[in-house]
Amino acid sequence: MLADGGVKSAQRALEILEAFARQRRPLALKEVLDELGYPASSGSALMKSLVIQGYLDYDRERRTYFPTMRLAKLGDWVPGVLFGDGPLLGTLEDLRRKTDQTVILAVQSDLHAQYVHVLHAAEPMLRRVPPGTLRPLARSGLGLVLLSAKRDGEIERLRRRINASGDDVGQTREDLMSRVNEVRARGYAFSRNTISPGVGILGAALPNGPFGRTFAVGVAGAVPDLEAKRDLIVDELRAAIDRLA
């Protein structure tokens, strides 16, 4: 088991598949091991297991691996269920185009805000963030947006769990509620340099998401850019949410 409660073999298998998503080409065993820093014995065994299960194909002549269509089909139903046939994806793309910044859609995943859809700006941020990225629920901009849509009692229960988990800096109820109420009063959050130095995010809540969940929509970029275009971004963000709500 890993320190965070994860199972090492499961984590490594998923990291192998993510390596193919980044490279988008056939990879030799050594290339995968070098990129991920895995021991040769366990890495080789995992790759062979993924071949046996039908998620990777092995080209014996070239000694390379490549994902199969079984892997492609595994999650191809998710976008349709999450986003449906409505205007959500088109609205997020319009928001990216009008603000010229990265646009992120996030949802609560236990004690984190998780990015479920990311549209990168033409001029990328200091570091591109992929879908699946986790951010602290009580410390990140989109996390505070998600908390702001909850009742105070539920926020307090989450705060206690977060403090007990040891994954985040312990904080008082007064401190957290002060930041949550600021988001409620303004209708949006503006987080600067909280997770990545030089990077910020302006975000607001999108109610009535799939399965009754609340989603957060964020516009992310370099802090000076967000400061300079704050009024424009907030107006476009509100217009996008009004259209979707």
Side-chain angles (χ1 to χ4, degrees), residues 15-240:
E15 288 174 346
I16 287 171
L17 300 178
E18 289 175 345
F20 282 98
R22 290 190 296 272
Q23 297 293 337
R24 300 194 175 193
R25 62 180 177 84
L27 297 174
L29 174 61
K30 186 177 185 303
E31 291 180 294
V32 175
L33 298 181
D34 287 348
E35 178 171 343
L36 300 176
Y38 292 167
S41 57
S42 59
S44 175
L46 271 174
M47 297 284 279
K48 289 179 180 177
S49 178
L50 289 169
V51 171
I52 292 171
Q53 294 175 67
Y55 295 112
L56 292 181
D57 173 66
Y58 180 61
D59 185 330
R60 187 172 298 276
E61 180 179 347
R62 296 174 177 80
R63 296 185 177 182
T64 57
Y65 297 82
F66 195 72
T68 67
M69 288 305 296
R70 180 176 184 183
L71 180 62
K73 293 292 291 181
L74 193 62
D76 66 352
W77 58 273
V78 175
V81 173
L82 274 180
F83 308 131
D85 298 323
L88 177 57
L89 294 183
T91 299
L92 296 179
E93 176 57 40
D94 284 345
L95 182 60
R96 186 204 63 80
R97 178 177 53 81
K98 291 176 179 177
T99 62
D100 197 27
Q101 302 292 325
T102 294
V103 171
I104 298 169
L105 184 69
V107 69
Q108 181 183 350
S109 177
D110 197 20
L111 302 181
H112 297 85
Q114 183 170 46
Y115 297 170
V116 296
H117 191 60
V118 182
L119 296 171
H120 290 106
E123 293 294 330
M125 293 188 295
L126 303 180
R127 183 174 67 87
R128 285 181 177 265
V129 290
T133 295
L134 295 174
R135 293 290 186 251
L137 189 63
R139 191 159 54 89
S140 63
L142 293 187
L144 290 172
V145 167
L146 293 168
L147 287 177
S148 71
K150 299 180 180 297
R151 295 182 177 180
D152 291 2
E154 187 175 358
I155 296 172
E156 174 61 11
R157 287 191 292 273
L158 285 167
R159 184 192 69 84
R160 291 178 178 177
R161 286 186 58 209
I162 291 168
N163 286 346
S165 73
D167 289 340
D168 204 349
V169 178
Q171 54 189 311
T172 66
R173 181 183 187 278
E174 291 72 20
D175 177 57
L176 179 57
M177 289 308 303
S178 174
R179 288 181 291 137
V180 167
N181 286 329
E182 183 179 356
V183 174
R184 288 170 172 168
R186 291 191 306 196
Y188 65 91
F190 192 178
S191 174
R192 308 169 181 83
N193 308 301
T194 304
I195 305 297
S196 301
V199 177
I201 191 164
L202 283 154
L206 173 62
N208 305 320
F211 310 112
R213 302 177 75 184
T214 297
F215 282 69
V217 180
V219 176
V223 172
D225 292 341
L226 298 183
E227 293 278 13
K229 298 164 52 173
R230 178 173 179 169
D231 291 343
L232 167 68
I233 292 172
V234 170
D235 287 346
E236 294 295 346
L237 187 60
R238 286 172 170 163

